[in-house]
Amino acid sequence: MAKNLLLSFAGVVEKVWSWKMILPAASSIGTWHALSGASPYVTSAQEVPSSVTAGDSFSFSFYSEVYSAESYQIENLPDGLSYNNDINGPKITGTLPVAGTYSISITGYRYPELSGNKTPVYSLTLNVAEAEKSEQTETTSSLWSDSKTIATGSGWYRSEWFGDFYGNSGGWTYHINHGWLYLNGSDEVNLWFYDEKLGWLFTGKELFPRIYRSSNSTWLYDQSDATTRKFWDYSTSENFLSSKN
């Protein structure tokens, strides 16, 4: 009987020690950061450039180490950039905003809808530089085909016969004396342009300051300056004033 009791007790002891070995392993299943004690964190899938340029395209990929996050919270995202909300390939993309320093916060969550344990905040800092303004050459910048038109800075140009105006690519152009004019074509010898106050007008470097007014088939002589818009009408032999467009 003593032998039988000893054998039975040995079985109980064996089971007790087995449970002692199993319980710690089972409890570790509920602690989802790694068995090694490492903490989960968000990291970059690429090197972040020290400086980027406003207006350029931007793409930044990231992921979570130690465990796969099921959702991410993105904060302080500037205008022009967006998060794709794809946990299989999380990425921030878009067009870089105006010059400045931006700090974007990224936090990974264990479960969807920003639930469960979370990672420390990953800070993505963007130092956005202002885009350089390229100076166009006289050949490519000239609105006219053969004019001595020069750039005077900040988008303004000066024609030796047409005067000062802003914008030099045709279409709507702001003239210092007349306001907004719609220039049709790039031949300065035969130039049509639309004036909202006077209608379609015709002139050229050999004619100006004489201007042909299509609406009443008359010729005008431009006497305008930056403060007063004034014309001599050959058909009536009178001056008249007009406001800027």
Side-chain angles (χ1 to χ4, degrees), residues 55-70:
D56 285 355
S57 297
F58 179 78
S59 179
F60 176 77
S61 300
F62 56 92
Y63 62 97
S64 61
E65 284 281 13
V66 179
Y67 71 83
S68 296
E70 293 296 325

Side-chain angles (χ1 to χ4, degrees), residues 125-144:
T125 301
L126 298 178
N127 295 308
V128 182
E130 185 176 356
E132 294 184 3
K133 296 179 180 179
S134 59
E135 291 294 331
Q136 296 176 314
T137 64
E138 182 177 329
T139 301
T140 59
S141 69
S142 178
L143 175 67
W144 326 111

Side-chain angles (χ1 to χ4, degrees), residues 2 22 34 37 58 68 77 87 91-92 95 107 112 122 140 146 162-163 195 197 213 234:
I22 293 171
F58 179 78
S68 296
L77 202 62
I87 60 169
K91 185 181 295 186
I92 293 172
T95 302
T107 306
Y122 177 92
T140 59
D146 59 347
F162 192 59
D195 183 306
K197 301 293 190 301
R213 187 179 183 183
Y234 286 96

Side-chain angles (χ1 to χ4, degrees), residues 215-226:
S215 62
N216 58 3
S217 303
T218 59
W219 282 92
L220 308 176
Y221 189 90
D222 186 10
Q223 299 172 308
S224 305
D225 57 32

